[in-house]
């Protein structure tokens, strides 16, 4: 995982970076140096995932962590979900001790807001032959910045926003072959 909000997580096994193999829909999705995923993932769209830290089979191109996720698909019935969550300053404590207060510390860098909205829809275009899946997600995270103030003297806030858009279509060509079109922004 990452050590900050809205930061790509690093992938390492046994202290080695640069040997990961993150895949989405069977397509390699990492940076050229291999130490980080090449993009943020919308985990809400995953239907299934396989993670291996070692003992990968011969299909693995690297000796490190192997990760493959399959995104949800449409089906013959329409389905969808909606998710919303949020946190603000009322749900956190202040850990400034009396000793810190004597040194002039009045506050940490509290979360000022954290919201996450997600929705998806899947279904058929042609029964038993062509299906679709679409999803959208918006995350917003804000933290007060220590030692930084705005022009009016109020505490400054650092805001990170992530937007995800996912689309997938699956066409059954024959009983044993299908064509999958996939895009995640």
């Amino acid at each position: 995982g990452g050590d900050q909000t809205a930061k790509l997580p690093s992938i390492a096994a046994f202290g080695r970076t640069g040997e990961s193999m993150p895949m989405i829909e069977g397509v390699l999705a990492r940076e050229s140096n291999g130490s980080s995923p090449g993009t943020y993932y919308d985990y809400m769209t995953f239907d299934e995932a396989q993670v291996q830290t070692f003992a990968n089979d011969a299909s693995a191109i690297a000796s490190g962590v192997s990760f493959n996720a399959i995104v949800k698909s449409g089906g013959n019935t329409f389905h969808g979900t909606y998710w919303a969550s949020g946190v603000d300053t009322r749900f956190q404590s202040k850990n400034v001790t009396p000793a810190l207060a004597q040194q002039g510390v009045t506050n940490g860098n509290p979360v000022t807001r954290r919201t996450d909205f997600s929705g998806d829809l899947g279904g058929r275009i042609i029964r038993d032959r062509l299906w679709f899946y679409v999803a959208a997600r918006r995350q917003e995270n804000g933290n007060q910045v220590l030692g930084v103030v705005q022009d009016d003297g109020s505490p400054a806030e650092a805001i990170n926003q992530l937007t995800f858009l996912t689309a997938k279509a699956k066409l059954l060509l024959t009983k044993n072959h299908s064509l999958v079109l996939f895009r995640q922004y």
Side-chain angles (χ1 to χ4, degrees):
D3 61 354
Q4 297 176 7
T5 302
K7 179 181 176 188
L8 285 172
S10 61
I11 299 175
F14 309 109
R16 292 177 51 200
T17 60
E19 293 289 324
S20 66
M21 193 173 86
M23 298 175 66
I24 305 292
E25 292 288 328
V27 176
L28 189 59
R30 72 176 185 178
E31 291 180 343
S32 60
N33 67 5
S35 64
S36 297
T39 182
Y40 293 95
Y41 301 136
D42 183 359
Y43 298 100
M44 299 292 279
T45 64
F46 292 172
D47 190 31
E48 57 185 272
Q50 177 186 15
V51 180
Q52 288 182 259
T53 55
F54 62 93
N56 293 325
D57 63 24
S59 67
I61 62 171
S63 62
V65 176
S66 174
F67 169 83
N68 189 25
I70 303 299
V71 173
K72 297 175 187 176
S73 293
N76 283 327
T77 59
F78 291 95
H79 59 276
T81 57
Y82 179 76
W83 167 268
S85 66
V87 173
D88 65 22
T89 57
R90 295 174 294 176
F91 297 104
Q92 58 189 315
S93 64
K94 190 175 180 181
N95 63 351
V96 176
T97 64
L100 288 172
Q102 286 180 348
Q103 296 174 33
V105 176
T106 59
N107 205 356
N109 62 332
V111 171
T112 55
R113 64 183 126 166
R114 184 160 291 159
T115 58
D116 192 348
F117 299 97
S118 177
D120 67 4
L121 177 66
R124 71 176 181 275
I125 298 172
I126 301 172
R127 180 178 291 281
D128 298 326
R129 184 147 170 87
L130 179 60
W131 304 273
F132 77 95
Y133 173 78
V134 293
R137 185 175 185 185
R138 171 75 170 196
Q139 293 177 314
E140 187 171 287
N141 303 292
N143 288 73
Q144 188 174 323
V145 182
L146 284 174
V148 179
V149 295
Q150 298 182 51
D151 291 339
D152 65 0
S154 63
E157 180 182 20
I159 300 172
N160 291 309
Q161 298 173 336
L162 296 173
T163 301
F164 301 92
L165 301 171
T166 303
K168 180 178 177 180
K170 183 175 181 179
L171 173 63
L172 187 62
L173 299 171
T174 68
K175 181 180 174 184
N176 296 320
H177 297 89
S178 61
L179 174 66
V180 174
L181 302 173
F182 171 72
R183 170 83 165 118
Q184 187 172 62
Y185 167 81

